[in-house]
């Protein structure tokens, strides 16, 4: 028996656990209706070109829809993975002729991969229905904006919660910490511009842009600092924005690699 | 069996998305600001009114009634293109004796002026401004229907709606981009025509004509896939 069949078995099991009827359907419905309800074209009225495309995606990745998405992925990684560890299902999964890292990959592919596909697929489909001209003219901007929002908070939080769940061997606490980190991110994103203003330095904005690359993207597209109050506006160049995005994904990758190493070598059940 | 289950769950997800689109379609659209004007249009002349910035969620309903056959257009220009045209006109007419009038004309009649500039690139701007001493000849030059035709031939991409000539029109339009939309009424006949134009802003979650077909398609596909899944589950249960 090759590796493919046991991998698919675990993936199918994870899909069944993560998306019991009608969880997937409820989230698909919320993402679809939310795309039409929360997209805000008015933010693009006084802006031009690709800034309109950025603003559109930015409004869709704002608090209500991103929060629903974060709820879905944190539920999957914390509750799903946590209950597998807690109920001893992981021991059964370890009996499959498969390396540990493939078991975690199958779990994350279901918990994160499917959720990301659902979120992006529905929103991009909705935007194509609403504004096909913008979507076909500026696909690069749309891709970049989604990449920045996925990096942080979505994947960054998911990585942290995976690590915590593996370390604590239960999902409840990890889930609560995940939500607290999400709220902390919202609060900090409001503080950073004030700190930059009070210190007269753009360093806090740059540090925050590494953790949250969308702030660099926003500063680039809106052609001003992340805050109207910053004494010196920070306007990164496009290549700098790409660097911040790359740095953000590097952090996310490092967290997931740490999770894989822990799962592969140090997790004792 | 697993493939049928996978298809079934895909069907229920597609059905959920279709239902969300259907709800977006069912939510009634609201009316925003509205304005109307009546104006006589001289033979072989046209008139243009810039009605504002519209978006895929913020469209317009236009009704036109005329005493004779007229041609009606809805033109849409992106804000970037409009800014470029304004810059081009300011550069083309830098030395004006009436800077205020020039600015006013460029700001509010960018499209007719760009049509004029493309047709008569050497003609200085003061000659086309509606100055009292030269009125009405220069004005009629700008609003000549041949300039409209040549301008639309050069920029066919800005035409959003172009019905056949008639005396009564009604249409709802939601642009596919954030656009500055203008209503144009042209009188091709040799008599003066009285025209009444009424425009109302329409606010909706989504353009109804653009989402109803995908909604029906998704719901049909979803129901089809779900039924196959449910039937196979029932058969399986009755077998064991």
């Amino acid at each position: 028996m090759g590796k493919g069949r046991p991998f698919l078995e675990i993936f199918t099991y994870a899909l069944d656990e993560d998306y019991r009827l009608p969880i997937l359907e409820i989230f698909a419905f919320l993402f679809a209706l939310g795309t039409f309800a929360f997209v805000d074209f008015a933010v693009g009225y006084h802006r031009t070109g690709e800034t309109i495309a950025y603003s559109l995606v930015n409004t869709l990745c704002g608090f209500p829809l991103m929060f629903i998405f974060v709820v879905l992925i944190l539920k999957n990684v914390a509750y799903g993975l946590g209950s597998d560890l807690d109920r001893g299902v992981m021991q059964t999964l370890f009996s499959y002729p498969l390396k540990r890292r493939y078991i975690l990959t199958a779990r994350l592919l279901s918990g994160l991969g499917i959720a990301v596909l659902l979120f992006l697929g529905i929103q991009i489909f909705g935007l194509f229905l609403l504004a096909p001209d913008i979507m076909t003219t500026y696909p690069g901007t749309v891709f970049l904006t989604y990449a920045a929002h996925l990096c942080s908070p979505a994947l960054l939080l998911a990585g942290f919660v995976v690590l915590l769940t593996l370390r604590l061997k239960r999902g409840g606490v990890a889930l609560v910490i995940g939500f607290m980190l999400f709220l902390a991110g919202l609060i900090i994103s409001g503080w950073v511009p004030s700190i930059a203003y009070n210190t007269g330095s753009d360093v806090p904005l740059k540090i925050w842009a590494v953790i949250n690359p969308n702030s660099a993207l926003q500063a680039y597209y809106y052609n001003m600092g992340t805050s109207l109050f910053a004494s010196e506006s920070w306007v990164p160049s496009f290549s700098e924005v790409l660097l911040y995005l790359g740095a953000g994904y590097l952090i996310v990758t490092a967290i997931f690699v740490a999770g894989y190493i822990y799962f592969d070598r140090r997790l004792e059940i | 069996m697993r493939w049928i289950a996978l298809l079934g769950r895909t069907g229920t997800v597609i059905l959920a998305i279709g239902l969300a689109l259907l709800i977006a379609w069912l939510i009634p659209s609201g009316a925003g600001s509205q304005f109307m004007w009546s104006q006589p249009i001289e033979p072989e002349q046209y008139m243009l009114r810039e009605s504002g910035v519209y978006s895929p969620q913020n469209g317009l309903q236009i009704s036109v009634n005329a005493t004779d056959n007229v041609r009606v257009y809805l033109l849409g220009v992106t804000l970037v293109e409009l800014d470029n045209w304004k810059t081009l006109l300011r550069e083309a007419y830098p030395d004006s004796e009436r800077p205020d009038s020039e600015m006013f004309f460029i700001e509010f009649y960018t499209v007719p002026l760009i049509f004029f500039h493309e047709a008569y690139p050497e003609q200085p701007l003061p000659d086309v401004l509606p100055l009292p001493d030269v009125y009405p000849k220069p004005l009629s030059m700008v609003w000549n229907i041949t300039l409209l035709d040549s301008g639309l031939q050069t920029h066919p991409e800005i035409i959003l709606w172009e019905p056949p000539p008639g005396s009564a029109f009604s249409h709802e339009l939601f642009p596919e981009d954030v656009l500055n939309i203008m209503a144009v009424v042209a009188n091709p006949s040799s008599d003066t025509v009285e025209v009444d134009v009424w425009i109302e802003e329409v606010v909706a979650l989504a353009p109804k004509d653009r989402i109803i077909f995908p909604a029906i398609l998704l719901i049909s596909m979803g129901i089809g896939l779900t039924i196959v899944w449910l039937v196979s589950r029932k058969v399986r249960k009755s077998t064991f």
Side-chain angles (χ1 to χ4, degrees):
Chain A
M1 190 164 62
K3 283 178 186 169
R5 196 174 171 81
F7 182 86
L8 275 180
E9 294 247 342
I10 294 172
F11 179 58
T12 313
Y13 154 77
L15 278 178
D16 280 344
E17 286 296 308
D18 289 338
Y19 306 107
R20 287 169 190 269
L21 199 76
I23 289 174
L24 197 58
E25 289 74 11
I26 288 171
F27 279 95
F29 181 83
L30 289 175
F31 289 152
L33 197 58
T35 301
F36 296 106
F38 294 115
V39 70
D40 185 8
F41 283 92
V43 295
Y45 273 22
H46 304 293
R47 296 178 183 132
T48 53
E50 54 191 339
T51 313
I52 295 176
Y54 168 76
S55 302
L56 281 186
V57 179
N58 204 32
T59 58
L60 280 181
C61 292
F63 180 73
L65 285 179
M66 183 52 81
F67 181 71
I68 295 170
F69 177 58
V70 166
V71 166
L72 177 64
I73 57 172
L74 293 195
K75 173 201 82 70
N76 287 346
V77 293
Y79 180 75
L81 196 61
S83 65
D84 280 359
L85 292 165
D86 200 27
R87 289 185 292 139
V89 178
M90 199 55 82
Q91 279 175 315
T92 315
L93 297 182
F94 283 166
S95 67
Y96 278 74
L98 207 60
K99 285 183 178 167
R100 280 188 172 196
R101 59 174 175 269
Y102 290 119
I103 294 170
L104 186 62
T105 304
R107 205 74 191 68
L108 292 181
L109 208 59
S110 159
L112 284 180
I114 299 295
V116 168
L117 272 181
L118 193 76
F119 182 71
L120 290 188
I122 291 174
Q123 284 207 352
I124 290 172
F125 171 67
L127 281 176
F128 257 111
L129 286 181
L130 279 172
D133 280 3
I134 295 173
M135 295 297 284
T136 48
T137 314
Y138 305 106
T141 306
V142 172
F143 169 78
L144 210 62
T145 313
Y146 272 120
H149 279 284
L150 277 184
C151 176
S152 175
L155 294 178
L156 189 70
L157 274 181
F160 267 122
V161 170
V162 166
L163 256 180
L164 275 172
T165 308
L166 293 175
R167 187 80 184 86
L168 302 171
K169 291 196 182 71
R170 58 184 61 200
V173 181
L175 193 67
V176 171
I177 292 174
F179 283 126
M180 283 169 67
L181 284 174
F182 179 77
L183 294 175
L186 287 179
I187 294 166
I188 290 169
S189 64
W191 281 352
V192 170
S194 309
I195 296 168
Y197 173 76
N198 288 327
T199 56
S201 161
D202 55 10
V203 174
L205 296 170
K206 290 177 178 172
I207 293 171
W208 184 239
V210 175
I211 300 164
N212 179 23
N214 182 50
S215 61
L217 210 61
Q218 188 172 322
Y220 171 74
Y221 280 120
Y222 291 175
N223 209 20
M224 58 183 192
T226 42
S227 163
L228 291 169
F229 310 109
S231 56
E232 288 180 18
S233 297
W234 175 54
V235 184
S237 65
F238 188 70
S239 51
E240 279 179 305
V241 169
L242 292 180
L243 270 177
Y244 282 105
L245 190 61
Y249 270 99
L250 215 60
I251 293 173
V252 169
T253 310
I255 292 168
F256 273 99
V257 167
Y260 266 89
I261 291 170
Y262 187 84
F263 188 80
D264 212 21
R265 297 180 186 170
R266 307 210 31 200
L267 183 72
E268 290 170 5
I269 296 176
Chain B
M1 215 45 217
R2 273 188 182 160
W3 283 109
I4 293 175
L6 184 68
L7 280 178
R9 286 305 298 278
T10 310
T12 53
V13 169
I14 288 174
L15 183 62
I17 298 169
L19 288 174
L21 291 188
L22 189 69
I23 287 175
W25 181 79
L26 285 172
I27 292 172
S29 37
S33 58
Q34 47 182 278
F35 61 98
M36 63 169 298
W37 74 92
S38 301
Q39 186 177 334
I41 306 177
E42 300 288 320
E44 311 240 315
Q45 299 276 299
Y46 75 98
M47 69 169 194
L48 177 143
R49 285 290 180 278
E50 190 175 318
S51 61
V53 182
Y54 292 88
S55 76
Q57 286 186 319
N58 177 25
L60 62 90
Q61 168 80 46
I62 181 170
S63 296
V64 179
N65 286 299
T67 52
D68 200 353
N69 278 359
V70 288
R71 280 160 37 198
V72 176
Y73 301 90
L74 280 176
L75 307 182
V77 185
T78 61
L79 306 181
V80 184
E81 188 67 13
L82 204 63
D83 275 349
N84 290 344
W85 282 355
K86 283 175 186 171
T87 310
L88 190 150
L89 289 172
R90 284 189 200 107
E91 286 169 358
Y93 305 115
D95 305 317
S96 171
E97 292 171 7
R98 301 278 300 273
D100 292 342
S101 306
E102 178 193 315
M103 286 306 292
F104 173 83
F105 209 77
I106 288 174
E107 200 60 40
F108 291 98
Y109 298 106
T110 314
V111 172
L113 201 54
I114 206 83
F115 289 173
F116 178 84
H117 175 65
E118 284 170 354
Y120 305 105
E122 302 302 323
Q123 191 91 1
L125 184 62
D127 287 358
V128 299
L129 279 172
L131 300 177
D133 53 338
V134 288
Y135 184 83
K137 190 188 162 203
L139 192 65
S140 63
M141 281 173 75
V142 173
W143 299 110
N144 196 304
I145 203 166
T146 52
L147 280 187
L148 174 71
D149 291 338
S150 66
L152 293 180
Q153 270 181 0
T154 315
H155 304 282
E157 75 282 355
I158 69 170
I159 303 173
L160 299 177
W161 180 57
E162 184 188 7
S167 57
F169 305 85
S170 184
H171 185 63
E172 188 178 272
L173 179 101
F174 283 86
E176 296 184 356
D177 197 344
V178 179
L179 293 178
N180 205 300
I181 293 184
M182 288 143 261
V184 173
V185 183
N187 175 14
S189 69
S190 51
D191 298 317
T192 300
V193 175
E194 285 287 338
V195 178
D196 296 324
V197 180
W198 177 80
I199 292 179
E200 184 181 44
E201 189 184 356
V202 184
V203 183
L205 265 192
K208 297 197 180 301
D209 57 336
R210 238 179 280 160
I211 59 166
I212 188 61
F213 177 69
I216 292 170
L217 190 73
L218 289 174
I219 290 171
S220 311
M221 279 170 61
I223 289 174
L225 290 170
T226 310
I227 285 175
V228 171
W229 178 47
L230 291 175
V231 167
S232 72
R233 267 179 73 169
K234 200 173 178 185
V235 168
R236 197 180 168 204
K237 274 183 184 170
S238 62
T239 310
F240 290 102

